[in-house]
Amino acid sequence: NEEPESIILSTTTSTQDSGLLDFILPGFTEKTGIEVKVVAVGTGKALQMGRDGEADVLLVHAKSSEIEFVAEGHGAERFDVMYNDFIMVGPEPLQYETIGDTLNGIMENEMVFVSRGDDSGTHKKELSIWASRGITPEGKWYMSAGKGMGDVLQMANELRGYTLTDRATYLSMKDKLELEIVFEADALLLNEYGVIAVNPQKNDSINNKGANKFIDWILSTETQEKIGEFGKDLYGQPLFFPNAK
Amino acid sequence: MDIHITNLLKKYHDKAVVDIDHTQFKSGFIYGITGDNGAGKTTLLKIIAGLERYDAGEILYSGVPLEQGMMKKITYLSQTPYLMRTSVYENIVYPLKIRNIDPMTIEKKAKDIMDELQITELKNQLATQLSGGESQKVALARALVFDPEVLLLDEPTASIDPATIDTIEEAITKRNKQQKMTVIMISHNMDQVKRMCHEIVCMKKGKKISIKE
Amino acid sequence: MDIHITNLLKKYHDKAVVDIDHTQFKSGFIYGITGDNGAGKTTLLKIIAGLERYDAGEILYSGVPLEQGMMKKITYLSQTPYLMRTSVYENIVYPLKIRNIDPMTIEKKAKDIMDELQITELKNQLATQLSGGESQKVALARALVFDPEVLLLDEPTASIDPATIDTIEEAITKRNKQQKMTVIMISHNMDQVKRMCHEIVCMKKGKKISIKE
Amino acid sequence: MDLLKEGLKEALLLLIRFDKEVYSIIGLSIGLSFTSTIFSAIIGIPLGLYLGVKPFKLKKTFTRTIYTMMSLPPVVIGLLVAIFLSRSGPLGTLGLLFTPTAMVIAQMILITPIILGITYNDAKQYGPSISQIGITLGASKFQTLKLLITEMRITLLIALVTGFGRAISEVGAVMIVGGNIKGHTRVMTTYIAMNNSMGNYAMAISMGIVLLLISFIVNSVLYRYVAGE
Amino acid sequence: MDLLKEGLKEALLLLIRFDKEVYSIIGLSIGLSFTSTIFSAIIGIPLGLYLGVKPFKLKKTFTRTIYTMMSLPPVVIGLLVAIFLSRSGPLGTLGLLFTPTAMVIAQMILITPIILGITYNDAKQYGPSISQIGITLGASKFQTLKLLITEMRITLLIALVTGFGRAISEVGAVMIVGGNIKGHTRVMTTYIAMNNSMGNYAMAISMGIVLLLISFIVNSVLYRYVAGE
Ligand SMILES: Nc1ncnc2c1ncn2[C@@H]1O[C@H](COP(=O)(O)OP(=O)(O)OP(=O)(O)O)[C@@H](O)[C@H]1O
Ligand SMILES: Nc1ncnc2c1ncn2[C@@H]1O[C@H](COP(=O)(O)OP(=O)(O)OP(=O)(O)O)[C@@H](O)[C@H]1O
Ligand SMILES: [Mg+2]
Ligand SMILES: [Mg+2]
């Protein structure tokens, strides 16, 4: 009596916490009979699990790190899956032109800013924006939490601070938070998710066939449409926009 | 301190273990309690010492119920004495120390009692590592050292060697004579009871059955 | 089972507590051990029972060192016996049960010994809630019930009332006569030792000082 | 406050709704903790009794080590187990990471020292006089062990309940080695932690209440069983 | 395996480098756990002694409750404390959430029952005969309490060490109420958990080793202090 075939999917908390995976994954198992074991961690750890060969397939959102990951030979190829965007949220509205100005303003006024601080895709994005302004954020106002998106949103809510978040997590938690969008829609804030099958040469346990089936499935028109549907009924807008080629 | 007992009743699981209509222990006398195993002697003594609750009846100490101040003057020596996990010396001086007596006096009193009961050599030994008889002697020394008014003894010489029994009996009777210490002692040794006591209370199945002089 | 002791030495913190050149306990006799408190009597008995290590010397049981099989035939009754947290009856039948004796015999033997030591009324009581003397009797019953070859008793009647002392002495001597049970008993009661024992070993500061017949 | 009230209501609903997922999470929690308690007891109790009764050198060092082990940080345990079981680790070929087995292993490492320690501590104190009685009454080694177990039953019960309670309420280690995989390794505590992160307080609290209830029931049932004390 | 070796090396480096952040994390961990152990002891020890010695009704119920409380799940504690201290909670005006104070509160709720339980358990057993001695020798209530403490010092020490060990090694509750804020509420366990979730295994392990070391040192020092046993 063999256990059913399964793959380990290492992904970020946003895909799990937003409810997307619960929405789409049953379709995959139904179609292929393969069970997907989701380990939801920060992108940093997800990539590390890929490097260590602990996962079979990754669904993450830190494009530059992903490209590097593939370049180093840890995975075969990276495919675009979907995107949404990052937004700045906070307790009071802010009037700045660009995301850079917004962060700058927060720093200058020493308003509380809660950073993911966990090497995640969101964290990397935040750091890149600071870096683009030549700023090293420091001080009592800048709180590095080392936690997931949901936790950080709650902390920002509690501390009446600002934070950078992906739109999906924010929307899914919006009614529990007294935070509003203070900045959005900037080309810099694109949040792209990619899928990568882990290099099967890492060890004997990697289920490369299952991983490839998963990739085929998630890039298929049918699944892509489903991703586009997700959230429409609940939030009046999709949480993710499919962009597989 | 006179002790009056009226209609005292103590039960365990509905069995009356002590059931005494009336008895009295007068100040300055030595009383012996004898009786079969399980007659209720230990239970009675513990009740008098204020260590055990009872179900009915009244005990008056100099006419009033037991109160904190009086308990300081009554001491009870158990059949299986508990010694503290320190040296024999520390055990013996404990009751003096808690009474804030000055160190010189403490030292002198401790020395005297240890000499009297012939336990000076055990002074620095750990009290939890003594032989049966040694423990009994140390516990007795600890009880006598602070000159209580009422001394309740539960088979104090059961495990004591014959030579030392005399010493102990003497130590007790001396204090009764000199300080008018009231003594109530349980013993299975009829000779001893007759030798030492002014009055004997004999118990049987919880009841007092006779008083011999 | 003869017991031969040669050059036995036991120390606690460098103090020799037992230091015996030579002594022997012959099969089928009753021996009394007497001596001052702290003389080393209990320690010696525990060593013989195999319950305590020793530092030097040799003890031979029927010519050989102690082994598991022999230990089943020797029993030791402590000065402060430990009773199991069950009923008196369960305590008494325990040694029979672990020997896989049939239930009928167990019941009979238990009944006999309880009648003999007059503890039948305590049968269903919790063994941890007994009086001092009751505990001693129950522990003795538990030791006698499986007819050991060698019986080591540490002050078995210290807390027993005078009337029952006779019963206990009789129970012991009867077994010595009928089953040739070897008995070594510690006692501070010289009359008792003289009454019961064939030979007396007197100890002082760990040494054997004399043998009287 | 409202949250607590809501949590209580939600907890009731959770149980009444007979939600399959919730019940399987509760079932898995109990099953895993029970399994690891049993295994840990099989190791810890006899060893604790033996070491407590037997005089041996280094007893002090041993005691100290046991007490240190009793407070092994769950995250560290989780981390080490994960490293050993990871595919590149020494036991990687077994493919145990992110499985219930891995969680049992982590829980066992967590609670075996606790069960062992509690047992050892009391065995050191009462064991010698109990085993002495066994010896003097002619019990074999095995019978003496049985005697120790019956006489020390209350201590052993406390050890078991403490071990189980610790296993079922632990989150740090099982999160790492189990991965909180839905329908597979998600247990009550990781469910609570996850829902807390997602801001679903009511769901977190309701499961928390269920967890407390289980703890209380386990205690009650076992105490009743031993009666007395 | 390589990871472990690397972790050990890293642990040494961590300590030798005198990295200010690392030392302040270690300092905070020790400080908070120490504080909560002291406060919990002040509550738990006298209460445990009193309840253990004093006969009272409902003793069984009390015992059962204590044992249940001893296995309160840290996540649940964290959750409840967070709810009480959150802005919208009853104590929200104090602004304590995500501060070291909140962490001490959570740790106290976690370890007070443990310290109380261990104390109570032994006080029930030995307390009566000890306090009886106090009474018969004429000690006042306060002196009897002192006597209980000296006689039961080993038990109390175990209670303290267990409490401290539990506080310093706990992660679930302090992560929730402290928030793992760098330079403010980040302690060893949350540092370990965070580094683990970032995939920085070596850093996680090295801090884990430091944590184990501290645990061992605390045990050793205290045992030496009590000597004997
Ligand atoms: N905690 C208890 N629970 C139930 N019964 C008890 C308890 N303590 C004592 N007893 C019973 O109460 C009776 C009287 O006990 P007590 O200790 O007063 O006897 P005693 O006269 O001192 O006997 P001994 O001479 O053997 O010391 C005994 O039958 C004993 O079994
Ligand atoms: N564990 C121990 N550590 C140190 N000394 C001990 C220990 N046990 C006993 N002793 C000492 O050994 C000596 C002999 O003790 P033992 O119990 O054999 O005396 P005993 O002859 O049975 O005395 P008693 O008649 O009082 O029962 C005593 O002086 C006692 O203080
Ligand atoms: Mg008595
Ligand atoms: Mg002796």
Side-chain angles (χ1 to χ4, degrees):
Chain A
N1 199 347
E2 278 277 296
E3 250 200 57
E5 192 186 348
S6 63
I7 54 172
I8 291 180
L9 167 66
S10 189
T11 183
T12 68
T13 42
S14 55
T15 55
Q16 171 169 287
D17 291 3
S18 63
L20 174 72
L21 292 179
D22 283 349
F23 184 67
I24 61 168
L25 282 182
F28 177 70
T29 309
E30 223 167 79
K31 195 168 165 205
T32 59
I34 299 173
E35 201 191 329
V36 183
K37 293 180 176 168
V38 179
V39 181
V41 290
T43 293
K45 168 127 180 187
L47 290 170
Q48 186 62 45
M49 283 177 70
R51 278 187 208 104
D52 296 342
E54 294 309 325
D56 302 312
V57 60
L58 311 179
L59 178 60
V60 287
H61 63 139
K63 197 167 179 182
S64 53
S65 307
E66 290 163 37
I67 290 166
E68 192 185 309
F69 181 88
V70 172
E72 285 168 2
H74 300 301
E77 193 178 346
R78 175 192 180 280
F79 300 96
D80 284 332
V81 176
M82 59 194 187
Y83 68 91
N84 58 10
D85 60 344
F86 290 111
I87 50 179
M88 277 286 296
V89 297
E92 308 284 345
L94 297 175
Q95 315 291 347
Y96 293 101
E97 294 295 313
T98 65
I99 182 66
D101 289 347
T102 311
L103 286 183
N104 208 27
I106 288 173
M107 181 190 73
E108 277 173 359
N109 295 304
E110 300 215 335
M111 293 187 275
V112 172
F113 183 90
V114 186
S115 164
R116 286 283 293 270
D118 67 345
D119 216 11
S120 60
T122 315
H123 185 217
K124 286 179 174 159
K125 176 66 75 177
E126 178 211 320
L127 290 180
S128 71
I129 301 170
W130 290 115
S132 72
R133 281 288 179 130
I135 299 172
T136 317
E138 260 173 350
K140 254 191 95 112
W141 59 276
Y142 183 81
M143 301 199 168
S144 175
K147 293 178 112 184
M149 197 67 254
D151 287 321
V152 166
L153 280 169
Q154 288 173 49
M155 285 175 73
N157 185 50
E158 197 55 46
L159 299 167
R160 310 217 24 90
Y162 295 83
T163 192
L164 185 74
T165 171
D166 66 287
R167 193 181 289 271
T169 310
Y170 171 70
L171 285 179
S172 69
M173 290 177 66
K174 191 168 180 258
D175 53 343
K176 291 156 197 142
L177 304 171
E178 291 170 41
L179 296 174
E180 52 186 280
I181 298 174
V182 299
F183 188 87
E184 64 184 328
D186 185 317
L188 266 180
L189 294 181
L190 202 62
N191 179 22
E192 292 178 282
Y193 288 81
V195 68
I196 307 173
V198 173
N199 183 349
Q201 259 123 49
K202 300 239 168 228
N203 58 56
D204 297 341
S205 316
I206 290 177
N207 183 351
N208 189 243
K209 255 167 83 185
N212 285 326
K213 275 189 198 163
F214 179 82
I215 292 177
D216 290 345
W217 167 80
I218 204 166
L219 300 179
S220 70
T221 330
E222 198 186 331
T223 312
Q224 289 279 306
E225 270 171 17
K226 214 165 173 203
I227 291 174
E229 288 300 308
F230 176 64
K232 271 189 182 161
D233 49 348
L234 225 57
Y235 309 107
Q237 53 175 291
L239 297 189
F240 299 94
F241 301 94
N243 68 341
K245 277 154 209 144
Chain B
M1 195 188 297
D2 286 355
I3 300 171
H4 278 262
I5 296 179
T6 334
N7 296 325
L8 183 66
L9 179 70
K10 165 77 183 179
K11 290 181 186 175
Y12 278 124
H13 316 300
D14 292 333
K15 188 177 89 173
V17 170
V18 173
D19 182 4
I20 290 181
D21 291 346
H22 180 263
T23 199
Q24 103 176 47
F25 300 99
K26 279 181 290 185
S27 182
F29 287 83
I30 302 183
Y31 291 85
I33 302 182
T34 63
D36 295 345
N37 292 131
K41 305 179 295 297
T42 297
T43 310
L44 174 63
L45 219 58
K46 278 189 166 177
I47 290 173
I48 295 175
L51 297 174
E52 192 87 68
R53 292 147 178 246
Y54 45 96
D55 299 296
E58 193 180 46
I59 310 182
L60 297 177
Y61 302 76
S62 304
V64 294
L66 192 62
E67 45 184 55
Q68 184 76 25
M70 279 167 181
M71 282 176 82
K72 283 201 182 245
K73 295 176 187 160
I74 301 179
T75 197
Y76 164 78
L77 183 61
S78 159
Q79 206 164 351
T80 49
Y82 179 94
L83 295 173
M84 297 165 251
R85 300 170 180 224
T86 45
S87 67
V88 165
Y89 182 79
E90 284 301 326
N91 264 275
I92 293 176
V93 298
Y94 177 77
L96 300 175
K97 280 197 174 163
I98 59 175
R99 282 173 175 76
N100 290 320
I101 291 171
D102 71 285
M104 292 267 294
T105 318
I106 289 184
E107 206 166 307
K108 174 149 190 339
K109 285 199 169 217
K111 188 180 173 309
D112 289 351
I113 192 83
M114 288 193 298
D115 285 347
E116 188 177 0
L117 298 186
Q118 297 163 20
I119 48 175
T120 311
E121 346 178 325
L122 301 175
K123 186 173 171 179
N124 296 315
Q125 208 171 315
L126 199 59
T128 45
Q129 297 181 340
L130 297 173
S131 79
E134 288 167 348
S135 312
Q136 247 180 342
K137 285 189 273 185
V138 171
L140 181 66
R142 190 176 61 181
L144 291 178
V145 78
F146 66 98
D147 302 314
E149 275 182 35
V150 180
L151 184 62
L152 309 172
L153 303 172
D154 199 346
E155 306 189 25
T157 60
S159 303
I160 303 291
D161 61 63
T164 320
I165 287 190
D166 293 344
T167 320
I168 290 179
E169 291 184 0
E170 223 165 82
I172 296 168
T173 40
K174 188 182 98 186
R175 280 170 178 74
N176 168 258
K177 287 214 184 84
Q178 292 179 356
Q179 303 159 31
K180 294 280 157 223
M181 190 181 281
T182 310
V183 180
I184 309 178
M185 64 184 281
I186 296 175
S187 176
H188 288 300
N189 186 333
M190 287 310 289
D191 295 338
Q192 180 178 57
V193 174
K194 282 178 193 152
R195 257 194 319 266
M196 294 177 66
C197 305
H198 302 102
E199 217 176 291
I200 300 174
V201 175
C202 185
M203 288 184 73
K204 187 157 192 155
K205 297 196 174 167
K207 297 205 191 289
K208 184 175 87 170
I209 54 169
S210 67
I211 300 183
K212 304 176 210 162
E213 301 258 339
Chain C
M1 194 188 296
D2 287 353
I3 300 171
H4 278 260
I5 295 179
T6 335
N7 296 325
L8 182 67
L9 179 69
K10 165 77 184 178
K11 291 181 187 177
Y12 278 123
H13 316 301
D14 291 336
K15 188 177 89 174
V17 170
V18 173
D19 181 5
I20 290 181
D21 291 345
H22 179 262
T23 198
Q24 102 177 48
F25 301 99
K26 278 181 290 184
S27 183
F29 286 83
I30 303 183
Y31 291 86
I33 303 182
T34 62
D36 296 344
N37 292 132
K41 305 179 294 297
T42 297
T43 310
L44 172 64
L45 219 59
K46 278 189 166 176
I47 290 173
I48 295 174
L51 297 174
E52 191 88 67
R53 292 150 179 246
Y54 45 95
D55 299 295
E58 193 180 46
I59 310 182
L60 297 178
Y61 303 75
S62 304
V64 295
L66 192 62
E67 48 185 53
Q68 183 79 21
M70 279 168 181
M71 282 176 82
K72 282 199 183 245
K73 296 176 188 162
I74 302 178
T75 197
Y76 164 78
L77 183 61
S78 158
Q79 207 163 350
T80 50
Y82 179 93
L83 295 172
M84 297 165 248
R85 300 169 180 224
T86 45
S87 68
V88 165
Y89 182 79
E90 283 301 327
N91 264 276
I92 293 175
V93 298
Y94 178 77
L96 300 175
K97 280 197 174 163
I98 59 174
R99 282 174 174 75
N100 290 320
I101 291 170
D102 71 287
M104 294 264 294
T105 318
I106 288 183
E107 208 166 304
K108 175 150 188 338
K109 286 199 167 215
K111 190 181 171 308
D112 290 350
I113 193 85
M114 287 193 298
D115 286 347
E116 188 177 0
L117 299 185
Q118 298 163 20
I119 48 176
T120 310
E121 347 177 329
L122 301 175
K123 186 173 170 179
N124 297 314
Q125 206 172 316
L126 199 59
T128 43
Q129 298 180 339
L130 298 173
S131 79
E134 288 167 350
S135 310
Q136 244 179 346
K137 285 190 271 185
V138 172
L140 180 66
R142 189 177 61 182
L144 291 178
V145 77
F146 66 98
D147 302 314
E149 275 183 34
V150 180
L151 185 61
L152 308 173
L153 302 171
D154 199 346
E155 307 188 25
T157 61
S159 304
I160 303 289
D161 61 63
T164 319
I165 287 189
D166 293 343
T167 319
I168 289 179
E169 289 183 2
E170 225 166 81
I172 296 168
T173 40
K174 188 183 98 186
R175 280 170 177 74
N176 169 257
K177 287 215 184 84
Q178 291 179 357
Q179 302 159 31
K180 293 282 157 222
M181 191 182 280
T182 311
V183 180
I184 310 178
M185 64 184 282
I186 296 174
S187 176
H188 288 302
N189 185 333
M190 286 310 289
D191 296 338
Q192 180 179 58
V193 175
K194 281 178 195 153
R195 259 194 317 268
M196 294 177 65
C197 305
H198 301 105
E199 215 175 295
I200 300 173
V201 176
C202 185
M203 288 184 72
K204 187 158 192 153
K205 298 197 171 164
K207 297 206 191 289
K208 183 176 86 170
I209 53 168
S210 66
I211 300 181
K212 305 175 210 162
E213 301 258 336
Chain D
M1 285 304 87
D2 288 350
L3 265 172
L4 286 183
K5 253 189 254 156
E6 209 181 310
L8 261 168
K9 221 176 71 189
E10 190 66 38
L12 268 173
L13 285 175
L14 206 66
L15 292 175
I16 292 169
R17 254 199 327 260
F18 283 104
D19 183 299
K20 215 183 121 228
E21 192 197 338
V22 167
Y23 271 85
S24 77
I25 288 173
I26 297 175
L28 185 64
S29 280
I30 296 176
L32 293 184
S33 309
F34 187 77
T35 312
S36 37
T37 306
I38 296 293
F39 283 125
S40 299
I42 291 173
I43 299 170
I45 289 181
L47 195 61
L49 290 176
Y50 180 80
L51 295 175
V53 169
K54 202 88 185 169
F56 63 100
K57 274 173 211 162
L58 300 178
K59 205 153 185 164
K60 280 180 203 175
T61 316
F62 178 77
T63 314
R64 216 176 293 161
T65 313
I66 279 292
Y67 283 112
T68 309
M69 298 266 294
M70 280 174 80
S71 58
L72 274 184
V75 271
V76 176
I77 294 175
L79 205 60
L80 292 179
V81 172
I83 288 172
F84 270 82
L85 297 184
S86 70
R87 287 173 175 173
S88 49
L91 303 174
T93 44
L94 303 175
L96 291 177
L97 195 57
F98 305 128
T99 64
T101 312
M103 297 163 84
V104 168
I105 294 173
Q107 287 183 341
M108 279 179 64
I109 297 176
L110 182 72
I111 69 174
T112 303
I114 294 173
I115 293 180
L116 173 61
I118 295 177
T119 307
Y120 170 76
N121 199 37
D122 263 26
K124 212 173 44 168
Q125 199 126 43
Y126 309 107
S129 47
I130 299 170
S131 75
Q132 192 163 303
I133 280 302
I135 294 168
T136 57
L137 298 178
S140 66
K141 291 225 161 118
F142 182 70
Q143 286 166 333
T144 304
L145 181 68
K146 255 177 69 182
L147 184 65
L148 277 167
I149 291 173
T150 21
E151 285 297 292
M152 289 179 51
R153 57 189 175 272
I154 290 164
T155 300
L156 301 186
L157 180 81
I158 289 173
L160 287 177
V161 173
T162 309
F164 180 84
R166 192 71 198 277
I168 205 169
S169 67
E170 197 284 320
V171 67
V174 294
M175 183 65 108
I176 296 176
V177 304
N180 186 33
I181 298 171
K182 189 176 172 181
H184 186 52
T185 58
R186 184 165 296 167
V187 288
M188 299 174 76
T189 52
T190 59
Y191 176 92
I192 294 170
M194 183 188 73
N195 274 293
N196 174 60
S197 302
M198 291 165 67
N200 299 332
Y201 297 125
M203 288 172 83
I205 292 173
S206 59
M207 191 61 103
I209 292 169
V210 174
L211 182 47
L212 288 181
L213 269 180
I214 291 175
S215 196
F216 196 77
I217 291 170
V218 167
N219 274 285
S220 299
V221 169
L222 283 171
Y223 277 103
R224 176 102 1 128
Y225 175 73
V226 183
E229 202 79 357
Chain E
M1 286 304 83
D2 288 350
L3 264 171
L4 284 184
K5 252 188 256 156
E6 208 180 311
L8 262 168
K9 221 177 72 189
E10 190 66 39
L12 267 173
L13 284 176
L14 206 66
L15 292 175
I16 293 169
R17 255 201 325 261
F18 282 103
D19 183 297
K20 213 182 125 231
E21 192 196 337
V22 167
Y23 271 86
S24 77
I25 289 174
I26 297 175
L28 186 65
S29 280
I30 295 177
L32 293 185
S33 309
F34 187 76
T35 312
S36 37
T37 306
I38 296 292
F39 283 125
S40 299
I42 291 173
I43 300 169
I45 288 181
L47 195 62
L49 290 175
Y50 179 80
L51 295 174
V53 170
K54 202 88 185 167
F56 64 101
K57 273 174 210 161
L58 301 177
K59 205 153 184 166
K60 279 181 206 175
T61 316
F62 179 76
T63 315
R64 217 176 292 161
T65 313
I66 278 293
Y67 283 112
T68 309
M69 299 265 294
M70 281 173 80
S71 58
L72 275 184
V75 273
V76 176
I77 294 176
L79 203 59
L80 293 178
V81 172
I83 288 172
F84 270 81
L85 297 184
S86 73
R87 272 194 300 124
S88 51
L91 303 174
T93 45
L94 302 175
L96 290 177
L97 196 56
F98 306 128
T99 64
T101 312
M103 298 164 83
V104 168
I105 294 172
Q107 287 184 341
M108 279 178 66
I109 296 176
L110 181 73
I111 68 172
T112 303
I114 294 173
I115 292 181
L116 173 60
I118 295 177
T119 306
Y120 170 76
N121 198 39
D122 262 28
K124 213 173 43 167
Q125 199 126 43
Y126 309 107
S129 47
I130 299 170
S131 74
Q132 192 163 303
I133 279 302
I135 294 167
T136 58
L137 298 179
S140 66
K141 291 225 161 122
F142 182 70
Q143 286 166 335
T144 304
L145 180 68
K146 254 178 70 183
L147 183 66
L148 277 167
I149 291 174
T150 22
E151 284 299 290
M152 289 178 53
R153 58 188 176 273
I154 290 163
T155 300
L156 301 186
L157 180 81
I158 290 172
L160 287 178
V161 174
T162 309
F164 180 83
R166 192 70 198 276
I168 205 168
S169 66
E170 197 284 321
V171 67
V174 294
M175 182 65 108
I176 295 176
V177 304
N180 185 35
I181 299 173
K182 188 174 170 180
H184 185 50
T185 58
R186 184 164 295 169
V187 287
M188 298 174 75
T189 51
T190 60
Y191 176 92
I192 294 169
M194 180 188 78
N195 275 294
N196 172 60
S197 59
M198 288 163 65
N200 299 332
Y201 299 125
M203 286 171 86
I205 292 173
S206 58
M207 191 61 103
I209 291 168
V210 174
L211 182 47
L212 287 180
L213 268 180
I214 290 175
S215 195
F216 196 77
I217 291 170
V218 168
N219 274 284
S220 299
V221 169
L222 283 171
Y223 276 103
R224 176 103 359 132
Y225 175 74
V226 182
E229 202 77 359

